[in-house]
Structure formats: C-alpha cells, structure tokens
Amino acid sequence: MTDTATSLPTRTSGAVAGPRPPLARRRPSARARLRTVLKHAVLIAFGLIMIYPLLWMLASSLKPSALIFRDPSLLPSEIDMSNYTVGWNALSHPFSHYLLNSAVLVLGALLGNLVSCSMAAYAFARLNFKGRKIWFAIMLMSIMLPIHVVIVPQYILFSQLGWVNTFLPLIVPKLLATDAFFVFLMVQFFRGLPRELDEAARIDGAGHVRIFAQVMLPLSVPALATTAIFTFIWTWNDFFHQLIFLTKPDMYTVPIALRSFIDSSSESSWGPMFAMSIVSLIPLFLIFLLGQKYLVKGIATTGIK
Amino acid sequence: MSLPTSPRRLARPGVRLAAVTVAAALALAACAGSDSGADPTSATDAADEEVTIRFSWWGSDSRHALTQQVIDAFEAKHPHITVEPDFTTWDGYWDKLSTSIAGGDAPDVITQEERYLREYGTRGVLLDLGEVEDTLDTSGIDPSVAESGSFDGATYGVATGVNAYVVLADPQAFADAGVEMPDDTTWTWDDYVEIATKISEASGGTVFGTQDYGFNEPAFSIYARQHGQSLYKEDGSLGYKDSLMADWWKISLALQESGGQPEASRSVEIDGAGPEGSLLGTNTGAMGVWWTNQLGAISKASGRELQILRFPGESESKRTGMYFKPAMYYSIAKTSKHPEEAALFVDFLLNSTEAGQLLLSDRGLPANLEVRTAVTPSFSDADKQSAEFLEGLREDIVDGVAVPPVGAGEVVPLIKRINGEVLFGQITPEDAAAKFTSEVTAATQK
Amino acid sequence: MAGIAELRKLRGSAPASVAPSERGDNKAALLFLGPWFIGLLLITVGPILASLFLSFTDYNLLQPPSWTGLDNYARMLDDARLHQSLRVTFTYVFVSIPLQLALALALALFLDRGVRGLPFYRSVYYLPSLLGGSVAIALLWRQVFGTQGLVNQFLGVFGIEGQGWVSHPDTALGTLVILNVWTFGAPMVIFLAGLRQIPEMYYEAAQIDGAGKVRQFIAITLPLLTPIVFFNLVLQVINAFQSFTQAFVVSGGSGGPVDSTLFYTLYLYQKGFGALDMGYASAMAWLLLAIVAGLTAINFVVSKYWVFYDD
C-alpha cells in the first residue's frame, strides 16, 4: 500500500503525487506550502480559541459593566478605564495592599526554597552519608503526598503557635525544603555537573560549604531560575493555603482578595472584578514572557506543571 | 455547623496528654521570635489609646455603603477608635466567621442571627453582654425582642431591629401584565400560583410572576404555622409533618412547571445573586419573598416603588403564619481585646439617633423605641411602608416563633441543596421532605 | 527523562550512582540536610501521624479532642455527601485527564513535524496552563459559562439558546472538566520534549522499510512515548485528586448546584474548616491518601504491560 505523503516534503514526492495544483510554479513546494499554510491556519485558529477567554476578560475590563454581556465583541466601542479605579478601591484596602501582601509572601517563599532546596539537593547529589538512598526515596515520595493529609494538623500546630493570620505558616515550610519537587529538580541538575570541578576545589582546600557556594551554585543558575519561577507562580496562585491561614482582611493576598471581591459585592459588578483579575494575572504573564526559556526547560526535564 | 453540644471530656487522660505533648514538641522545635505582624497590643485602659476593632456583617452593596457611613460617624465621635469593616454576602458569612474564630481571630463586633446565636453562645465564643452593660445600654430596646438574645442566664446578643418575611410585589409589573394586585389579607396559595402564572404568560416569559421561595426556610416556617404546625417547637424538636413540607414543595414545582417562576438553573443563579440581582431588582419579575428590611435595597435596584404584601394563605388555613423576627443581633466576641470599645460601638449602633438616621430600616425596624420614633419621619417611602406594614401586622400576629435550636445554622446550606434537588427533579417532594427531616434532625437533635 | 528514571528507581531497578568519597560526609549531611530533615519531621511526618490520631477523635479546635475510635470512619460509610464527592472527583479525574493528555499529545505531534514559529505556538498553548490554577481564571470561567456568558453569546450567533452551564447540575462539572483540559499546555510541552528525544534514525529506518506515517506512529512514536505518558498520568492523577480552587470559586464554595461540583477536597474543607469537624476531616484526608496511593500503585503495576522502556 503506498502512502501518499511522507513525513518530510521532498523534491520527488510532488512528482509522484496526484494532479498538479493549478497555480503552482514549482511543483514540489506548492503542495507543501499549502499544507504549511493550512497547518498554521489550524494552529492559529486553535490558539485563538484557547486564548479567547483571556482576551474577552481583558476587553470586558475596559467596558462599562452593563455592556459586558450585551456586547460580545473583543474590541470595546469605548475604552473605559473606570473599572480599574473602581475595582482598585472596592475592597477595604486599595488593591495595591493585596499585591504587596502577595509579593512579600512570594519573596519569602522564593528565598526559602532557593536556599533550603539547593542545600538539600547538594547533600543528595554530592554527599555520601548513611541511609542516603532511603532518605532520597522518602523525599521523592513526599512529592506525591496529598497536602490535605497534613493540613489539619498543620493548622492546629500553627494556630497553637499563634501564627495564623501571619505569613509564617506559608513561608517557614519553604525554609525547611518542604517543596521536595525543587530538591529533586536540583539534584538532577547537580548530578549533571562534572565532579572534576568539585575535585579541583577540594584540592585547593575547599570544604563542602565552599564547594557548594562557590562551585555548584554559580553553575546552577538555570536550575535556580526554574525553581524561582515555579515558586513564584505556585505561591502567587496558591489559594487553598492562603484561604486557610489568612482570615483577616488586612492580611489578604491577591487570590483571597479576588474571591472576597465576588463575595462582598453583588453579582453585577463584573467590570471591576475583571479589571482586578487582569491586574492579578499581569505578574504571571510577565514571568511567562521573561522566563519562558526556564519554564519550558524545567517542565520538559522534570515534568512539573 | 455540627458541633458537640455537650463537650465530652477525654476519656483517657493519656490520650490528651499525648496530643498535648505532640503539640508541645512541635511548638518547641519551631523558630522563635517571629513577628506576628498585625494588631497593636491590647490596651487595658480604654481611655486614649489608639484602638482598632473589627466589625463583621453580611449584606449587599447598599448595606455596605450605609454601614461605612455609620462607621465614619462613630469614628468622628471617638477619634481614638478605628472600626475595621469586614463584610461579605450572606452566603459566605458563616463559613468565614467560623474560620476566623478557629484562627483565634474573631471580629470584635459580630453580626449574629437567630439560627446561629445559640450555637455560638454555647460554644463560648460570645461575650455575656451583661458584663458591659454600663457601656451598652439595652433598656430602650423594644420589649418584644429585648430578651430574644438571652438564654442560659446570659445575654449573647442584642436585637438590631424587627422585621417580617413578606412578599414584595412590583405594581408596575402587575399593571403591565394586566393583572390586578391581590387583596393580601385573603389571597390563597392557589391565587399566588395563578397570579404568578398569568403574569409570566402575559409577558411572554420575559417577566416572571415570582422567584422561587424554597432556598430559605422561613417561607416554610410560615406555611407550617398557617397549618397549625411549626418548623421547630419550643423545646427545639421538629414540629411539622413531612407531608406538609412535601405540599410546600409541590407549590414551587407547580410554579416552575407553569412558568410562573424561572426554570431550575436560573433559579439557582438568581438565588446566588442577592437582592440586587433578584427578579424584582432587575425588573424581570413581579414578586418575591424577602425580609421587610431588604425592601430598600431591592427598590433601589429596581428603580421602582414596590409594595409589601402579606404571605398568601394567611386566612386560608387554621391560623396566620407570619411572625416578627429579631432581624439580626450584635454580639461581642469573648476573645475581643477591646470589649469596652466594642460595647461603645454597639451602643452607638443601637441607641444613637445619628446611627439610626443613617441606617433607618436597613437592620430592621430600629429596635430602640426612642430611635425608632425619632427617625420614622426620615424614613424613605420604602421604609415608611415597612413600618406601617409591621404596625398593621401587629394585631394579626398571634405569637412568636420558637428560638431555633443549636445546629439550626446548618439548615441554611441544607435547604439550599435539597431545594435544588427538588427543582431539578432529582428527588420527589416527599423524599425531599424526608431527607430534610433526617438531616435537620441529625444537625439539631443531638 | 529524569523523572521517569527516578520513579523506576523507586521500583528498585537501576541503582543510584554514588560518587566515591574518601571521608564519610555525615557531618556535612547534617548541615545541608538539616532544614529539610526538620521540615520532614515537623511539617510532613509529624502532621501525618497527628492527622491519623485526629481521625479517631472528635475535635473542633475550641474544645479538647475526645476519643471516638472508628466513629468517623463509620460515619463516612453512611455519608451520602461523601459518596457524592467521591463520584464527582472520580468523574473529574477519569474524564478530564484522558482528554487533556490526548489533546496534549495530538498537538505535540502536530507541532513536532517542524513548524516555523514552534516556540510561539508552544507559548500560546502553554499560557493557559500557567494561569489555569488562579482564582482569576476560575472567576472568568464562572462568567464564560454563565447564563449570559461568552459561550451562550457564541451559541446565540448560531441561534442556539444556551442554558446556565455553571448553574445546572448536569453541566456544572463539565465546565470544570473543560477548564482542566484547557490547561493541556504543560503536558504538551513534556510530550514535545519527549518527541524530540526519539532518535531520527528510527523513523528513517522505518521509512526505508516502507512504513507509512501511521505505521511509524504506532510502531515507533507511541511505544517510545509511553514512559512519558505514564509519567504524566501519575502526576496528573495525583494533582487532579487535589483540585480545589476551581471548584471552590466556580461554585462559590458550595460545591453546587446540588453538590454537582462537590470535589472531595472541597467537602473536606467544608467539614474541617467550615463546620470545624476536624476529626472527620482528618479521616477524610486519610481516605484520600489511601485512594491516591492505591491509584498510583495500580498505575505502577499496570505500567509493566504498556510502558516500553528503551533499555
């Protein structure tokens, strides 16, 4: 059975194929070109469908609330920024307060993860100690643990410590390398670094601490960047933990503030809500634009979402 | 919220010791010296220290705006006290409150409601207001609701006002449909269904006769009382027959089928939309069941003058069913660091004409009789209507409703869920009534 | 792929390579692993044990826990809402994951055949994945599928009258499934990377043998992709069982309408943090752990039959 097309368009395939398309100048590439055009068309169309909800939200944030559901077009007939000002001030604090809270949280989580996870990774990758394999297996398994098994006792613990309604329950675990995913990520990376560098440093008289700080870390920028980026995204979006530990309006972070938006105002003020939603997504989008390289590599090599 | 009402002591001290040891060990190992970030340290002396208290309430947009004005007025009078607002819609209020309390972070002044007050009181969360009676004067409160927040020898909440569950109607929608406004002292439940159906038909389905009444249990409470039964009895047990509840649901189903009320998923959506998003509020319906103090918000949203009607069936069966309800309560958290300031604020809310002038009937007809007399002239037309209506009702209301037992708060999400099942046809009214009874029993009869 | 290799090691195949070191590193390990170890005890293992203990008690945070033995577990057998939440969650997992992975694979294959501007398309398809877990998107979704929302406006163009997708119990869960499928970008990136790794020479050899594209796909691509599919499957299942934000926001915290979006974790939250029935919530958490562990184990066992490892 012959196959009418092969995976790569070649010069010969066109000649053996069916009737020539009418306007073809060079027989082989016309068919291929058509296919490429079609391919792009499909990809673009599909991409548009995917992105459409986001575009619609953006457009809606620029329309007066009343028009949002009546006028479905993506291009607002009049650009109205009032949703942004209304939304900014709709809750008991200006939205910047919540952005700041989220930012502080993210910063703490970032520092925690970067420091503690890289340290733990160094131990697993470069140190030889008793029970290493077992501890490593335990670390891997902890990645798969559903958080709900630990959330109730964690809550009780933090509540007894008086840490509820502070950022501590959200940051301290990061300082203790509980995001095992990043430990794993960095172990993989460290293992890829040649041991000769370690040896060279050791000959120079460096102990583990110096090797870690002066040899491994500087070379690990990609892994650190990936860790940083994913920590940022996950923390920025983490609704569940913030919902549970931050109950005072003062301490609200962006996800909680957004949700209380719909909680505390009537269902008809969508415009301001969309506006603030857009505002909350901007940092993610920026990270996406700037950190794509690391995002993609990070996902591809370790399968993190 | 299901909670053990009789706190059981730990049977074996060893187990409790183990739990405490675990907690202690964990606590010891944690890092010390953390900055918990928020409140100023508690002032032992009210006088001139900067104090912040938190006030929680539920409601819709217009209530929030009003309340903010009252807060501003209070702060102007007492510059050293800042009142932090903490508001949500009714739907999210109780979950949020219980989480806050669990987090050791209860608001200082809590708006309470009869279905939850008993539970929170017995849980030890609320302050006995007798302890701050020097600051919070309750002597001027309407006697018919003055004691409603007291039980087990303590006063856990003060009623904010009086209201009643009524049918609100849009005269213009009636006129547009060519249907006459009924005589609300004589109309029956059949009339209700008929009128609603007619209005829907006349408008070709763009304006509905009424909004579903089953998402909230006061409507059933009234129906039961009309038939000589009741939702709860004085002793807290259930006081109705399942068949009666099934009948009550059959009326909604009849309305849904005839088109007198929207179809099920729309009803669900509207229920979540609050007063401003209701059929009346959006000029897409002619009737709806609401508390009298919600008249202002709905009128405003609809842009029309609405009329208050008594519930159908008041003279149809054994007796009248409507009742006066203490609209809400103000309570103070036992864990409040500033009970005196909190009491000062509640006193301002209840007893000052200034607050009364701003709130008018938003929290019900003002509970303080002097304030009520003072502000009645300033009532909006809507509020005047409510006040007159409530006065008119007074003669026909035979008795009050029993205070709901502990666990009654769980009925709120429970009936929403079961009502949804009935509307979507997933369950028959009979089965729904049985299910309701068994779940409410589990929640309240412990 | 690294992750797969590690997972296989857990099954006990290849031993981890060890760097020969002249001195024992135990002391250094203490330093470097210290924080992780403390975290393991206090934040992970300790709470796991504590939650096991709590599952045998009645505890509402305000009064001391009281021992009730297997009561909570017995209650779970009779709890209709718990069963509903299991139904909802299982439906969500077993419907949305195959769809999501199929779409991801399809697009990865489509893109892999050398398209100009691949990075651009990859980014566009990946973006929803990044934003999908946020409250903002969940709020948007509630609107897109609402009675007056985007979907109905679109259908209206064709004269079809849409219903309230989010407020009808038959379709509410579907909107969440669609949301999960919408975030297929991340698995797609993984598949792309995996496809990249398949040596070109296999295809060339097959072509020489006269194999058509379909045959090549079945005989080469698919088998070599199975480790990645497996990997994605394991992770996605574990994640999907823990879904919370979307269900919470789209249903307004109720799991409605009529409990049709009552995800297991949402019910757990309602019980533990709404009703403060922490003992019951802990029991529920352990059931979740058992389910997830069980499914993961099944995944591993079954993988022997369909996952093809290159070595």
Side-chain angles (χ1 to χ4, degrees):
Chain A
M1 154 150 39
T2 53
D3 180 29
T4 49
T6 52
S7 55
L8 295 169
T10 65
R11 299 229 160 236
T12 52
S13 61
V16 201
R20 220 178 294 168
L23 293 174
R25 287 284 139 81
R26 297 180 302 152
R27 278 192 260 133
S29 52
R31 181 173 256 266
R33 264 220 305 266
L34 185 64
R35 220 155 5 116
T36 321
V37 166
L38 267 172
K39 203 167 187 173
H40 280 276
V42 167
L43 285 173
I44 291 178
F46 193 68
L48 255 178
I49 296 178
M50 293 271 292
I51 304 290
Y52 199 86
L54 296 171
L55 295 174
W56 182 72
M57 183 164 70
L58 181 59
S60 301
S61 71
L62 296 169
K63 287 184 211 162
S65 277
L67 281 184
I68 293 179
F69 298 112
R70 273 189 247 150
D71 170 26
S73 68
L74 276 190
L75 296 168
S77 44
E78 30 166 313
I79 296 203
D80 182 359
M81 295 292 287
S82 65
N83 284 332
Y84 283 87
T85 36
V86 170
W88 193 265
N89 295 308
L91 298 171
S92 43
H93 294 272
F95 210 72
S96 51
H97 181 94
Y98 309 112
L99 289 168
L100 197 63
N101 278 345
S102 275
V104 168
L105 196 57
V106 163
L107 198 62
L110 267 178
L111 287 174
N113 267 348
L114 286 174
V115 172
S116 65
C117 292
S118 59
M119 279 170 55
Y122 181 76
F124 283 122
R126 288 299 205 245
L127 300 180
N128 183 21
F129 54 94
K130 207 161 66 156
R132 188 172 65 114
K133 269 189 253 168
I134 300 176
W135 292 123
F136 191 66
I138 291 180
M139 188 271 295
L140 279 186
M141 287 201 289
S142 74
I143 297 177
M144 298 193 275
L145 186 74
I147 56 173
H148 305 86
V149 182
V150 291
I151 194 67
V152 169
Q154 273 183 13
Y155 185 82
I156 296 170
L157 167 65
F158 292 129
S159 152
Q160 308 247 338
L161 289 173
W163 287 7
V164 174
N165 273 314
T166 68
F167 292 136
L168 290 167
L170 302 160
I171 295 183
V172 170
K174 310 291 182 208
L175 286 167
L176 301 177
T178 51
D179 268 350
F181 236 145
F182 299 119
V183 178
F184 172 59
L185 178 90
M186 288 205 243
V187 166
Q188 296 305 109
F189 192 85
F190 286 168
R191 281 190 184 158
L193 296 176
R195 289 184 187 273
E196 291 81 49
L197 298 167
D198 288 39
E199 295 304 323
R202 199 165 292 132
I203 290 169
D204 279 351
H208 280 297
V209 178
R210 272 184 60 195
I211 297 178
F212 172 69
Q214 294 176 350
V215 176
M216 304 297 275
L217 281 188
L219 291 174
S220 308
V221 170
L224 292 173
T226 308
T227 301
I229 290 173
F230 277 103
T231 304
F232 184 99
I233 296 168
W234 290 354
T235 312
W236 191 265
N237 275 340
D238 181 10
F239 182 63
F240 186 65
H241 285 103
Q242 292 165 21
L243 177 70
I244 290 182
F245 291 119
L246 302 172
T247 54
K248 225 161 54 156
D250 230 15
M251 299 300 289
Y252 280 179
T253 50
V254 169
I256 314 293
L258 266 183
R259 175 259 180 160
S260 86
F261 209 119
I262 200 179
D263 232 17
S264 68
S265 56
S266 69
E267 290 244 338
S268 52
S269 53
W270 293 112
M273 198 195 69
F274 281 156
M276 291 303 103
S277 297
I278 295 282
V279 168
S280 77
L281 292 176
I282 287 176
L284 293 177
F285 192 65
L286 285 176
I287 292 283
F288 167 71
L289 286 180
L290 300 172
Q292 259 184 75
K293 190 167 62 142
Y294 297 115
L295 272 174
V296 171
K297 250 212 225 139
I299 300 169
T301 51
T302 59
I304 34 187
K305 196 169 188 174
Chain B
M1 263 143 288
S2 63
L3 295 167
T5 49
S6 49
R8 284 168 272 174
R9 293 282 162 243
L10 201 52
R12 292 170 293 163
V15 183
R16 181 176 15 181
L17 185 59
V20 170
T21 316
V22 167
L26 297 177
L28 275 175
C31 16
S34 37
D35 161 20
S36 57
D39 296 64
T41 48
S42 57
T44 45
D45 185 11
D48 285 286
E49 297 220 22
E50 286 288 320
V51 162
T52 305
I53 55 174
R54 208 163 107 230
F55 173 38
S56 74
W57 73 90
W58 69 81
S60 58
D61 276 352
S62 48
R63 176 172 296 162
H64 303 327
L66 273 179
T67 313
Q68 190 57 55
Q69 289 180 313
V70 176
I71 290 177
D72 292 339
F74 178 76
E75 286 177 347
K77 246 179 147 166
H78 303 273
H80 66 286
I81 306 181
T82 312
V83 178
E84 202 184 295
D86 181 5
F87 53 88
T88 68
T89 54
W90 168 257
D91 280 337
Y93 186 76
W94 301 100
D95 270 355
K96 186 159 173 237
L97 186 60
S98 74
T99 336
S100 304
I101 293 176
D105 184 51
D108 299 90
V109 179
I110 307 174
T111 307
Q112 269 291 346
E113 206 253 13
E114 62 175 10
R115 284 172 272 194
Y116 299 85
L117 187 63
R118 190 166 275 253
E119 183 162 357
Y120 278 79
T122 48
R123 256 206 260 172
V125 174
L126 303 175
L127 183 68
D128 178 4
L129 296 177
E131 290 181 29
V132 285
E133 60 186 2
D134 292 336
T135 326
L136 172 54
D137 179 18
T138 58
S139 56
I141 304 288
D142 185 334
S144 69
V145 291
E147 298 299 303
S148 56
S150 311
F151 48 89
D152 292 348
T155 303
Y156 291 112
V158 192
T160 63
V162 176
N163 62 9
Y165 211 49
V166 299
V167 172
L168 292 182
D170 182 350
Q172 193 176 324
F174 272 76
D176 289 345
V179 174
E180 241 184 75
M181 192 69 75
D183 175 3
D184 70 338
T185 53
T186 57
W187 67 327
T188 64
W189 285 101
D190 283 341
D191 291 334
Y192 176 66
V193 175
E194 212 184 296
I195 290 174
T197 312
K198 263 204 223 142
I199 295 178
S200 291
E201 280 170 0
S203 74
T206 47
V207 174
F208 290 98
T210 186
Q211 186 166 327
D212 181 76
Y213 61 37
F215 289 105
N216 210 6
E217 87 277 16
F220 176 63
S221 190
I222 294 178
Y223 188 76
R225 282 161 56 86
Q226 287 175 348
H227 290 85
Q229 302 173 32
S230 63
L231 179 56
Y232 303 112
K233 295 213 277 257
E234 288 294 330
D235 62 0
S237 61
L238 301 182
Y240 64 92
K241 293 205 192 62
D242 283 357
S243 56
L244 187 71
M245 193 164 203
D247 288 339
W248 178 70
W249 259 314
K250 287 191 184 137
I251 300 176
S252 310
L253 286 177
L255 276 168
Q256 192 173 262
E257 204 167 326
S258 71
Q261 74 183 39
E263 45 91 28
S265 63
R266 182 87 186 272
S267 290
V268 167
E269 264 189 21
I270 300 167
D271 173 63
E276 277 94 350
S278 65
L279 288 183
L280 280 169
T282 54
N283 296 331
T284 48
M287 295 187 280
V289 297
W290 300 96
W291 298 102
T292 45
N293 62 317
Q294 290 174 308
L295 177 59
I298 301 180
S299 286
K300 191 146 157 248
S302 76
R304 297 183 186 172
E305 263 196 47
L306 302 176
Q307 199 172 323
I308 308 181
L309 299 175
R310 297 186 186 193
F311 251 68
E314 283 289 279
S315 47
E316 184 180 353
S317 315
K318 298 203 176 128
R319 40 159 290 169
T320 60
M322 296 181 68
Y323 59 95
F324 285 132
K325 179 185 176 224
M328 309 165 203
Y329 297 89
Y330 291 131
S331 300
I332 299 180
K334 206 166 190 174
T335 54
S336 168
K337 295 198 180 85
H338 310 289
E340 284 298 325
E341 284 77 3
L344 205 57
F345 184 57
V346 176
D347 184 75
F348 180 78
L349 285 169
L350 288 172
N351 299 325
S352 74
T353 340
E354 220 178 321
Q357 288 283 11
L358 290 167
L359 288 173
L360 296 178
S361 297
D362 182 67
R363 290 341 203 250
L365 200 62
N368 181 312
L369 294 170
E370 267 184 38
V371 173
R372 192 187 296 180
T373 329
V375 305
T376 305
S378 321
F379 275 174
S380 63
D381 290 337
D383 286 340
K384 280 206 185 92
Q385 240 196 92
S386 308
E388 279 165 21
F389 180 85
L390 289 171
E391 270 309 305
L393 208 50
R394 210 174 271 274
E395 315 150 355
D396 298 321
I397 289 193
V398 181
D399 56 1
V401 153
V403 176
V406 178
E410 275 189 66
V411 176
V412 177
L414 210 157
I415 196 169
K416 266 198 213 286
R417 190 179 8 112
I418 298 183
N419 191 52
E421 290 180 40
V422 171
L423 291 180
F424 280 109
Q426 294 181 348
I427 193 179
T428 64
E430 289 79 9
D431 286 341
K435 193 171 179 179
F436 180 82
T437 302
S438 88
E439 289 195 33
V440 172
T441 309
T444 59
Q445 315 296 322
K446 277 195 276 233
Chain C
M1 298 197 70
I4 299 155
E6 291 307 332
L7 284 173
R8 288 178 59 205
K9 282 180 201 160
L10 279 182
R11 290 168 58 222
S13 16
S17 58
V18 175
S21 171
E22 272 127 38
R23 37 177 188 197
D25 292 325
N26 290 334
K27 253 203 270 193
L30 215 60
L31 169 68
F32 281 94
L33 271 187
W36 173 79
F37 197 72
I38 295 176
L40 185 70
L41 282 187
L42 293 187
I43 311 283
T44 310
V45 173
I48 293 179
L49 295 175
S51 103
L52 184 61
F53 165 72
L54 281 176
S55 72
F56 297 119
T57 67
D58 194 353
Y59 185 44
N60 69 358
L61 261 197
L62 301 165
Q63 290 150 325
S66 58
W67 186 265
T68 58
L70 291 171
D71 257 13
N72 289 326
Y73 292 98
R75 267 169 67 196
M76 276 169 30
L77 290 175
D78 286 327
D79 188 348
R81 290 191 79 205
L82 184 84
H83 305 156
Q84 169 71 1
S85 74
L86 283 170
R87 255 196 302 268
V88 168
T89 313
F90 269 86
T91 308
Y92 177 74
V93 171
F94 288 113
V95 172
S96 70
I97 290 183
L99 283 177
Q100 187 200 52
L101 292 183
L103 194 57
L105 184 57
L107 262 134
L109 289 167
F110 202 61
L111 284 172
D112 185 49
R113 308 233 223 90
V115 171
R116 239 205 348 224
L118 170 81
F120 170 71
Y121 288 119
R122 186 182 57 193
S123 300
V124 165
Y125 295 145
Y126 177 66
L127 182 61
S129 191
L130 200 65
L131 306 176
S134 66
V135 172
I137 293 298
L139 285 174
L140 173 66
W141 224 248
R142 191 162 149 177
Q143 267 323 95
V144 166
F145 285 96
T147 319
Q148 298 169 291
L150 193 57
V151 169
N152 285 344
Q153 285 176 358
F154 179 70
L155 290 177
V157 169
F158 298 104
I160 307 175
E161 198 183 306
Q163 61 176 52
W165 308 99
V166 164
S167 52
H168 198 291
D170 290 344
T171 52
L173 186 59
T175 63
L176 292 176
V177 166
I178 293 178
L179 178 53
N180 200 23
V181 172
W182 188 63
T183 62
F184 71 86
M188 182 193 79
V189 168
I190 298 175
F191 282 133
L192 267 176
L195 285 170
R196 266 314 144 66
Q197 287 183 345
I198 299 178
E200 193 54 35
M201 63 183 184
Y202 288 0
Y203 291 116
E204 287 165 9
Q207 219 181 309
I208 291 170
D209 283 352
K213 271 204 295 197
V214 178
R215 184 95 188 86
Q216 284 177 28
F217 177 73
I218 296 178
I220 300 172
T221 317
L222 219 41
L224 288 178
L225 272 185
T226 49
I228 302 175
V229 176
F230 171 64
F231 183 64
N232 264 333
L233 197 60
V234 169
L235 285 186
Q236 297 286 41
V237 166
I238 294 175
N239 272 331
F241 264 101
Q242 298 179 64
S243 278
F244 177 82
T245 307
Q246 295 82 350
F248 186 91
V249 175
V250 168
S251 72
S254 66
V258 196
D259 282 357
S260 58
T261 59
L262 189 69
F263 277 44
Y264 193 80
T265 52
L266 183 52
Y267 189 47
L268 200 157
Y269 172 77
Q270 283 182 2
K271 278 287 171 188
F273 294 93
L276 291 188
D277 194 351
M278 298 245 161
Y280 194 68
S282 300
M284 281 183 69
W286 269 85
L287 177 61
L288 179 65
L289 179 60
I291 292 174
V292 169
L295 283 177
T296 306
I298 292 177
N299 248 333
F300 270 91
V301 165
V302 173
S303 75
K304 265 193 296 221
Y305 299 103
W306 62 277
V307 181
F308 171 84
Y309 289 110
D310 211 358
D311 37 306

